[in-house]
Coordinates of all heavy atoms in Angstrom, one line a residue:
E1 N -14.0 30.4 -48.9 CA -14.1 30.2 -50.3 C -15.2 31.0 -50.9 O -15.1 31.6 -52.0 CB -14.3 28.7 -50.6 CG -14.5 28.4 -52.1 CD -13.3 28.9 -53.0 OE1 -12.1 28.9 -52.5 OE2 -13.6 29.2 -54.1
I2 N -16.2 31.3 -50.1 CA -17.3 32.2 -50.4 C -17.0 33.6 -50.2 O -17.1 34.4 -51.1 CB -18.7 31.7 -49.7 CG1 -19.1 30.3 -50.1 CG2 -19.7 32.8 -50.0 CD1 -20.3 29.9 -49.3
W3 N -16.4 33.9 -49.0 CA -16.1 35.2 -48.6 C -15.2 36.0 -49.6 O -15.2 37.2 -49.7 CB -15.6 35.3 -47.2 CG -16.5 34.9 -46.1 CD1 -17.9 34.9 -46.2 CD2 -16.2 34.5 -44.8 NE1 -18.5 34.6 -45.1 CE2 -17.4 34.3 -44.1 CE3 -15.0 34.3 -44.1 CZ2 -17.5 33.9 -42.8 CZ3 -15.1 33.9 -42.7 CH2 -16.3 33.7 -42.1
R4 N -14.2 35.2 -50.2 CA -13.2 35.9 -51.0 C -13.8 36.7 -52.2 O -13.1 37.6 -52.8 CB -12.3 34.8 -51.5 CG -12.8 33.8 -52.5 CD -11.7 32.8 -52.9 NE -12.3 31.8 -53.9 CZ -12.3 32.1 -55.2 NH1 -11.7 33.2 -55.7 NH2 -12.8 31.2 -56.1
H5 N -15.1 36.4 -52.5 CA -15.7 37.0 -53.7 C -16.3 38.4 -53.3 O -16.6 39.3 -54.2 CB -16.9 36.2 -54.2 CG -16.3 34.9 -54.8 ND1 -15.8 34.8 -56.1 CD2 -16.3 33.6 -54.3 CE1 -15.5 33.5 -56.2 NE2 -15.8 32.8 -55.2
F6 N -16.4 38.7 -52.0 CA -17.2 39.8 -51.6 C -16.2 41.1 -51.4 O -15.0 40.9 -51.2 CB -17.9 39.6 -50.2 CG -19.1 38.7 -50.5 CD1 -19.0 37.3 -50.6 CD2 -20.4 39.3 -50.7 CE1 -20.1 36.5 -50.8 CE2 -21.5 38.5 -50.9 CZ -21.4 37.2 -51.0
K7 N -16.8 42.3 -51.4 CA -16.1 43.5 -51.3 C -15.3 43.5 -50.0 O -14.1 43.7 -49.9 CB -17.0 44.7 -51.5 CG -16.3 46.0 -51.5 CD -17.3 47.1 -51.7 CE -16.6 48.5 -51.8 NZ -17.5 49.6 -52.0
T8 N -16.1 43.4 -48.9 CA -15.4 43.3 -47.6 C -16.2 42.3 -46.7 O -17.5 42.2 -47.0 CB -15.3 44.6 -46.8 OG1 -16.6 45.1 -46.6 CG2 -14.5 45.6 -47.5
V9 N -15.6 41.6 -45.8 CA -16.2 40.7 -44.8 C -15.7 41.1 -43.5 O -14.5 41.0 -43.2 CB -15.9 39.2 -45.1 CG1 -16.6 38.4 -44.1 CG2 -16.4 38.9 -46.5
E10 N -16.6 41.7 -42.6 CA -16.2 42.1 -41.3 C -16.7 41.0 -40.3 O -17.9 40.7 -40.3 CB -16.9 43.5 -41.0 CG -16.5 44.5 -41.9 CD -17.3 45.8 -41.7 OE1 -18.3 45.7 -40.9 OE2 -17.0 46.8 -42.3
I11 N -15.8 40.5 -39.6 CA -16.1 39.5 -38.6 C -15.9 40.1 -37.2 O -14.8 40.4 -36.7 CB -15.2 38.2 -38.7 CG1 -15.3 37.6 -40.1 CG2 -15.5 37.2 -37.6 CD1 -14.3 36.6 -40.4
A12 N -17.0 40.4 -36.6 CA -17.0 41.1 -35.3 C -17.3 40.1 -34.2 O -18.4 39.5 -34.1 CB -18.1 42.2 -35.2
L13 N -16.2 39.9 -33.3 CA -16.4 38.9 -32.3 C -17.0 39.6 -31.0 O -16.5 40.6 -30.6 CB -15.0 38.3 -31.9 CG -14.3 37.6 -33.1 CD1 -12.8 37.5 -32.7 CD2 -14.9 36.3 -33.4
S14 N -18.0 39.0 -30.5 CA -18.6 39.5 -29.2 C -17.9 39.0 -28.0 O -18.1 37.9 -27.6 CB -20.1 39.1 -29.2 OG -20.9 39.7 -30.3
I15 N -17.0 39.8 -27.5 CA -16.2 39.4 -26.4 C -16.3 40.6 -25.3 O -15.9 41.7 -25.6 CB -14.7 39.2 -26.8 CG1 -14.6 38.1 -27.8 CG2 -13.9 38.9 -25.6 CD1 -13.2 37.8 -28.3
D16 N -16.9 40.2 -24.3 CA -17.3 41.2 -23.2 C -16.4 41.2 -22.0 O -16.4 42.0 -21.2 CB -18.8 41.0 -22.8 CG -19.8 41.0 -23.9 OD1 -19.4 41.7 -25.0 OD2 -20.8 40.4 -23.8
D17 N -15.7 40.0 -21.9 CA -14.8 39.8 -20.7 C -13.8 38.7 -20.9 O -13.7 38.2 -22.1 CB -15.7 39.6 -19.4 CG -15.1 40.2 -18.2 OD1 -13.9 40.2 -18.0 OD2 -15.9 40.7 -17.3
L18 N -13.1 38.4 -19.9 CA -12.0 37.4 -20.1 C -12.1 36.2 -19.2 O -12.7 36.3 -18.1 CB -10.6 38.1 -19.9 CG -10.4 39.4 -20.6 CD1 -9.1 40.0 -20.0 CD2 -10.3 39.2 -22.1
G19 N -11.6 35.0 -19.6 CA -11.4 33.9 -18.8 C -12.7 33.4 -18.1 O -13.8 33.3 -18.7
P20 N -12.6 33.1 -16.8 CA -13.8 32.6 -16.0 C -15.0 33.6 -16.1 O -16.1 33.1 -16.1 CB -13.2 32.4 -14.6 CG -11.8 32.2 -14.8 CD -11.4 33.0 -15.9
R21 N -14.7 34.9 -16.1 CA -15.8 35.8 -16.2 C -16.5 35.7 -17.5 O -17.8 35.8 -17.6 CB -15.3 37.3 -16.0 CG -14.8 37.5 -14.5 CD -14.6 39.0 -14.2 NE -13.7 39.7 -15.2 CZ -12.5 39.8 -15.0 NH1 -11.9 39.4 -13.8 NH2 -11.7 40.5 -15.8
F22 N -15.7 35.5 -18.6 CA -16.4 35.3 -19.9 C -17.3 34.2 -19.9 O -18.4 34.2 -20.4 CB -15.2 35.2 -20.9 CG -15.8 34.9 -22.3 CD1 -16.1 35.9 -23.2 CD2 -15.9 33.6 -22.8 CE1 -16.5 35.7 -24.5 CE2 -16.4 33.3 -24.1 CZ -16.7 34.4 -24.9
E23 N -16.8 33.1 -19.3 CA -17.6 31.8 -19.3 C -18.8 31.9 -18.4 O -19.9 31.3 -18.6 CB -16.7 30.6 -18.8 CG -15.6 30.3 -19.8 CD -14.6 29.2 -19.2 OE1 -14.8 28.9 -18.1 OE2 -13.8 28.8 -20.1
Y24 N -18.7 32.7 -17.3 CA -19.9 33.0 -16.4 C -20.9 33.8 -17.1 O -22.1 33.4 -17.0 CB -19.4 33.7 -15.1 CG -20.5 34.1 -14.2 CD1 -21.1 33.2 -13.3 CD2 -20.9 35.5 -14.2 CE1 -22.0 33.7 -12.4 CE2 -21.9 35.9 -13.3 CZ -22.5 34.9 -12.4 OH -23.5 35.4 -11.6
Q25 N -20.5 34.8 -17.8 CA -21.4 35.7 -18.6 C -22.0 35.1 -19.8 O -23.1 35.4 -20.2 CB -20.7 37.0 -18.9 CG -20.3 37.8 -17.7 CD -19.3 38.9 -18.0 OE1 -19.4 39.5 -19.1 NE2 -18.4 39.2 -17.1
R26 N -21.2 34.1 -20.4 CA -21.6 33.5 -21.7 C -21.7 32.0 -21.5 O -20.8 31.3 -22.0 CB -20.7 34.0 -22.8 CG -20.9 35.4 -23.2 CD -20.1 35.8 -24.4 NE -20.4 37.2 -24.7 CZ -21.3 37.5 -25.7 NH1 -22.0 36.6 -26.3 NH2 -21.5 38.8 -26.1
S27 N -22.7 31.5 -20.8 CA -22.8 30.1 -20.4 C -22.7 29.2 -21.6 O -23.3 29.5 -22.7 CB -24.1 29.9 -19.7 OG -24.1 30.5 -18.4
N28 N -22.0 28.1 -21.5 CA -21.7 27.1 -22.5 C -20.4 27.4 -23.3 O -19.9 26.6 -24.0 CB -22.8 26.9 -23.5 CG -24.1 26.2 -22.8 OD1 -24.0 25.8 -21.7 ND2 -25.1 26.2 -23.6
A29 N -19.9 28.6 -23.2 CA -18.7 29.0 -23.9 C -17.5 28.6 -23.1 O -17.5 28.4 -21.9 CB -18.6 30.5 -24.1
V30 N -16.4 28.2 -23.8 CA -15.1 27.9 -23.3 C -14.1 28.9 -23.7 O -13.8 29.0 -24.9 CB -14.7 26.4 -23.7 CG1 -13.3 26.1 -23.1 CG2 -15.7 25.4 -23.2
W31 N -13.5 29.7 -22.8 CA -12.6 30.8 -23.1 C -11.5 30.3 -24.0 O -11.1 31.0 -25.0 CB -12.2 31.5 -21.9 CG -11.2 32.6 -22.1 CD1 -9.8 32.6 -21.7 CD2 -11.3 33.8 -22.9 NE1 -9.2 33.7 -22.2 CE2 -10.1 34.5 -22.8 CE3 -12.4 34.3 -23.5 CZ2 -10.0 35.7 -23.5 CZ3 -12.3 35.6 -24.2 CH2 -11.1 36.2 -24.2
S32 N -10.8 29.2 -23.6 CA -9.7 28.8 -24.4 C -10.0 28.5 -25.9 O -9.2 28.8 -26.8 CB -9.0 27.5 -23.8 OG -10.0 26.5 -23.8
E33 N -11.2 28.0 -26.1 CA -11.7 27.7 -27.5 C -11.9 29.0 -28.2 O -11.6 29.2 -29.4 CB -12.9 26.9 -27.5 CG -12.8 25.5 -27.0 CD -14.0 24.7 -26.9 OE1 -15.1 25.2 -27.3 OE2 -14.0 23.5 -26.5
V34 N -12.4 30.1 -27.6 CA -12.7 31.4 -28.2 C -11.3 32.0 -28.5 O -11.1 32.5 -29.6 CB -13.5 32.3 -27.3 CG1 -13.6 33.7 -27.9 CG2 -15.0 31.7 -27.2
E35 N -10.4 32.0 -27.6 CA -9.0 32.5 -27.8 C -8.4 31.8 -29.1 O -7.8 32.5 -29.9 CB -8.2 32.3 -26.7 CG -8.3 33.3 -25.5 CD -7.1 33.3 -24.5 OE1 -7.0 32.2 -24.0 OE2 -6.5 34.3 -24.3
G36 N -8.6 30.5 -29.2 CA -8.1 29.8 -30.3 C -8.7 30.2 -31.7 O -8.0 30.4 -32.7
N37 N -10.0 30.5 -31.6 CA -10.7 31.0 -32.8 C -10.3 32.5 -33.1 O -10.2 32.8 -34.3 CB -12.2 30.9 -32.7 CG -12.8 29.5 -32.8 OD1 -12.1 28.7 -33.5 ND2 -13.9 29.2 -32.3
V38 N -10.0 33.2 -32.2 CA -9.4 34.6 -32.4 C -8.2 34.5 -33.3 O -8.0 35.2 -34.2 CB -9.2 35.4 -31.1 CG1 -8.4 36.7 -31.4 CG2 -10.5 35.6 -30.4

């Protein structure tokens, strides 16, 4: 609702790897939840 007023909004997701490796490198993250947010 706020973003719609702006010229552009770039959402850059920091994703360095996949699955268990992603979770190992980014402790506390859950890969399935990140995929859902993508």
Side-chain angles (χ1 to χ4, degrees):
E1 178 57 30
I2 296 176
W3 289 343
R4 68 183 180 86
H5 297 279
F6 286 83
K7 184 176 180 180
T8 58
V9 179
E10 300 169 352
I11 303 168
L13 301 166
S14 295
I15 298 177
D16 308 329
D17 217 320
L18 309 172
R21 292 195 302 268
F22 177 88
E23 295 177 351
Y24 173 80
Q25 295 167 31
R26 292 182 172 266
S27 292
N28 293 347
V30 178
W31 173 244
S32 61
E33 294 177 0
V34 172
E35 279 195 302
N37 281 337
V38 172

